[in-house]
C-alpha cells in the first residue's frame, strides 16, 4: 500500500497549485497587454508623423503670411511649398518638400542653385502633395506606413503667382 499524504501536505500542494495557476495567468495577461500596447504605440507613432508634418506646414505658412511670399512650385520631383522672405536687397526662400522619404527644409538665397538632397530632414514622410487653388492651400501627407492625412489653410495674404481679379 502506498502511504497517504498527510493533511498538511495536501493543503501545501493545493496552495502551490493555486500560486502556479496565478503565475501562469499573470504572465498570459502581461503578454496580451504588451501586444496591445505595441499596436497602440505603433498607431500613435504613425498618427504623430502625419499630424506633426501637417501642423509644421500650416505653422510655416502662418509665419510667412505676407502678400506674394507663399507659393507652390515643383522641386525635387514633387510639390514644394515656398516661403519667401524679402530682406534688405536680397530675398531668401524656405522650401518645404518631400524627398527620399523625408519632409525636408531648405533655406537659401533666391536663385541659388541647390539640389533636393541639400535640404535638412525634418521628419519621415513618404510623400507630400501641395495644392494652391482660389486662395486656399491644401496639404496631403502620406506617412511611411501609407496612411494619408490632409489639411487646408486659407492664408490671409494673397498667394504668390495669383493675380487680382477685377
Amino acid at each position: 500500500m502506498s502511504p497517504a499524504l498527510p493533511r498538511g501536505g495536501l493543503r501545501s500542494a493545493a496552495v502551490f497549485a493555486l500560486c502556479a495557476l496565478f503565475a501562469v495567468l499573470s504572465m498570459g495577461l502581461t503578454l496580451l497587454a504588451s501586444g496591445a500596447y505595441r499596436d497602440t504605440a505603433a498607431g500613435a507613432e504613425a498618427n504623430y508623423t502625419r499630424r506633426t508634418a501637417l501642423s509644421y506646414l500650416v505653422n510655416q505658412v502662418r509665419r510667412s503670411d505676407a502678400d506674394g511670399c507663399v507659393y507652390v512650385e515643383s522641386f525635387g520631383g514633387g510639390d514644394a511649398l515656398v516661403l519667401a522672405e524679402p530682406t534688405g536687397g536680397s530675398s531668401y526662400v524656405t522650401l518645404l518638400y518631400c524627398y527620399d522619404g523625408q519632409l525636408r527644409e531648405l533655406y537659401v538665397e533666391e536663385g541659388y542653385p541647390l539640389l533636393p538632397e541639400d535640404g535638412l530632414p525634418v521628419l519621415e514622410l513618404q510623400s507630400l502633395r501641395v495644392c494652391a487653388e482660389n486662395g486656399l492651400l491644401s496639404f496631403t501627407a502620406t506617412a511611411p506606413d501609407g496612411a494619408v492625412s490632409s489639411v487646408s489653410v486659407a492664408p490671409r495674404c494673397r498667394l504668390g503667382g495669383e493675380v487680382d481679379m477685377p
Side-chain angles (χ1 to χ4, degrees), residues 31-45:
L31 290 173
L32 185 67
S34 68
Y37 174 77
R38 269 192 301 269
D39 292 344
T40 303
E45 179 68 26

Side-chain angles (χ1 to χ4, degrees), residues 75-159:
F75 184 73
D79 297 334
L81 176 66
V82 182
L83 309 168
E85 292 181 31
T87 55
S90 297
S91 182
Y92 290 88
V93 294
T94 300
L95 292 156
L96 300 167
Y97 58 97
C98 191
Y99 181 77
D100 198 25
Q102 303 213 335
L103 176 64
R104 293 178 179 248
E105 179 176 336
L106 182 60
Y107 182 76
V108 65
E109 186 173 0
E110 195 167 27
Y112 194 84
L114 287 176
L115 300 172
E117 53 268 14
D118 293 331
L120 297 174
V122 176
L123 54 91
E124 286 186 40
L125 200 61
Q126 185 177 334
S127 68
L128 174 68
R129 185 167 179 270
V130 184
C131 182
E133 290 182 310
N134 301 323
L136 187 69
L137 276 172
S138 297
F139 303 107
T140 303
T142 305
D145 68 351
V148 178
S149 293
S150 297
V151 69
S152 295
V153 63
R156 289 176 283 177
C157 71
R158 183 173 45 108
L159 295 173

